[in-house]
Amino acid sequence: MAGLTGAPGDCFGGEGALLSVEEAAALVAARVAPLHGTETVPLRAARGRVLAEDLTAPADLPPFANSAVDGYAFRRADRPPGGTLPLAARVAAGQPAAPLAPGTAARVLTGAPVPAGADAVALQEDAAAEGGAVTLPAALPAGANIRPAGEDLARGELALPAGHRLDAAAIGLAAALGRPALRVARRPVVGVFSTGDELVEPGQPLGPAARHDSNRHTLLALLDALPAEARDLGILPDRAGATAEALRAAAAAHDLLLTSGGVSAGEEDHVRQAIEAGGALHFWKLAVKPGKPAAMGTIAGTPVLGLPGNPVAAVVAFLHLARPLVLRLAGALPRPLPRLTAIAAFAHRKKPGRREYLRVWLIGGEAHRYPRDGAGLLASLARTDALAELPEDLTALEPGTPVAVIPYAGLF
């Protein structure tokens, strides 16, 4: 399936190395090749897909000069001193317009073609029509209230480049250009595992030391916001042999594997060892909090990304590692996480060296901190709407200080 470029023994970071967010993104861009293969889909099925062709305008958009208002089209040089011209025509949207006869005006409605020869349209509120004639305002600039042909796009102009992720506006633009379908990149097939003997499927009874698996369902939902085909591969037990065999089998049928848990140095953490045993390990620890433990490598040429087990850490690592990796495999143009600036409504102290993410509410331009910080508090994500991003060198944040925030909208 898909793979990482570079020599099998190349490593993204040493055993104790901490990679910054930017270094991790650069490594993904350098090592991961986009997938091959495209398909043509109707516009109704194109939302969220990645455009696999440059979309150019086959004709001017709009294709003809049209009126931006309900009003009266005329040639400014024909306006007499009294401002009154006879009305010679009426043109509605969808009707062809004959050239404007010299010394006359035409009633035009919004979207209607502007008759050839007219160089301005007077807003109906600024004119007075009576008895088959119209009195026009004294001064209008050339082109007033006229949308010229090609105002949006000129014929042959690039409308959208290959690699553009298709949203509602892009699909509407394709429709305006007369395209009923678009050629899009093949979506990467992403398999998602959870790991841990303590995990139980939602809906099943819990034992005395068990808990319901949430990470897998969170990651699958996050993948739904990306151009990917996500597959639920269930829960891996805490057994080295079973973990290695499951990853090896899944690698043959997927373009990317995601796991959560099992990437630390504990006795029951087997994902990292399974990657080493089945392929090549390209491992780093990310310089973020939460989300430090992460492992990446290949098994049979398929990228495998091991995310942390704590729910909040898994989400933070997903946004910085899995998201750009999926977009890269899908052939999408690079798109950084959306960031806004808010005013901190709280104080915070941190150690230097790691980028820290705090869960916040955004209220009237202010970021209000969630009262608890634990990396295992999934409710803290459900109850907030953004992550406040504190840079590596920051040690103290005071109320009233501008802070970068990453809103969940569009990501979750």
Side-chain angles (χ1 to χ4, degrees):
M1 307 300 283
L4 298 176
T5 61
D10 289 349
C11 187
F12 288 172
E15 179 69 24
L18 294 179
L19 263 70
S20 71
V21 168
E22 290 75 19
E23 289 171 330
L27 285 168
V28 167
R31 301 289 184 103
V32 176
L35 299 174
H36 298 291
T38 64
E39 61 178 321
T40 299
V41 300
L43 293 184
R44 191 69 182 86
R47 183 176 180 274
R49 302 296 296 269
V50 176
L51 190 63
E53 59 178 330
D54 285 344
L55 182 64
T56 58
D60 286 342
L61 182 67
F64 51 84
N66 64 94
S67 179
V69 298
D70 290 344
Y72 301 90
F74 66 102
R75 183 184 293 106
R76 292 180 306 137
D78 288 348
R79 184 184 180 278
T84 300
L85 289 173
L87 283 171
R90 180 183 183 276
V91 189
Q95 295 179 346
L100 188 67
T104 69
R107 169 66 166 161
V108 291
L109 302 182
T110 302
V114 174
D119 61 5
V121 173
L123 189 69
Q124 67 179 14
E125 292 89 337
D126 297 332
E130 184 177 2
V134 60
T135 300
L136 302 164
L140 281 177
N145 299 313
I146 295 176
R147 297 184 288 221
E151 178 186 41
D152 198 350
L153 291 171
R155 180 178 182 178
E157 184 178 348
L158 178 65
L160 297 171
H164 186 92
R165 287 193 65 197
L166 296 165
D167 57 11
I171 291 169
L173 180 57
L177 295 175
R179 293 290 298 271
L182 293 169
R183 185 158 60 89
V184 297
R186 178 173 76 83
R187 294 182 300 169
V189 180
V190 184
V192 182
F193 286 107
S194 286
T195 68
D197 287 340
E198 78 280 13
L199 298 179
V200 174
E201 291 286 359
Q204 299 299 313
L206 292 176
R211 58 185 177 86
H212 289 122
D213 179 21
S214 63
N215 279 1
R216 200 169 85 257
H217 299 280
T218 302
L219 297 177
L220 289 166
L222 286 168
L223 286 168
D224 285 343
L226 295 172
E229 178 185 338
R231 295 180 180 175
D232 184 349
L233 301 183
I235 301 170
L236 292 175
D238 285 328
R239 293 191 295 279
T243 297
E245 176 57 32
L247 291 178
R248 185 167 55 250
H254 296 81
D255 299 304
L256 171 66
L257 297 180
L258 296 183
T259 67
S260 63
V263 291
S264 296
E267 294 179 5
E268 299 295 345
D269 292 325
H270 302 299
V271 170
R272 180 183 173 187
Q273 291 79 2
I275 298 173
E276 287 181 305
L281 181 67
H282 309 275
F283 178 78
W284 69 78
K285 295 177 182 177
L286 203 60
V288 301
K289 179 183 179 182
K292 176 182 174 182
M296 186 176 180
T298 58
I299 296 177
T302 295
V304 182
L305 180 58
L307 302 175
N310 281 317
V312 179
V315 169
V316 171
F318 178 96
L319 294 178
H320 288 304
L321 301 179
R323 179 180 179 271
L325 205 165
V326 169
L327 291 175
R328 178 69 175 166
L329 287 171
L333 295 171
R335 178 176 291 185
L337 290 169
R339 288 175 172 83
L340 305 174
T341 299
I343 301 301
F346 60 92
H348 182 69
R349 301 290 183 269
K350 66 179 281 291
K351 296 180 180 179
R354 292 167 68 185
R355 193 171 303 185
E356 190 165 340
Y357 292 91
L358 305 176
R359 285 134 278 175
V360 296
W361 295 280
L362 297 178
I363 303 174
E366 290 186 337
H368 296 259
R369 183 181 173 186
Y370 192 77
R372 297 188 296 279
D373 285 335
L377 303 179
L378 188 55
S380 67
L381 287 175
R383 293 174 175 175
T384 56
D385 54 19
L387 295 171
E389 183 178 54
L390 310 185
E392 289 84 347
D393 58 353
L394 181 73
T395 58
L397 180 71
E398 301 298 337
T401 304
V403 62
V405 296
I406 300 173
Y408 301 157
L411 300 174
F412 282 25

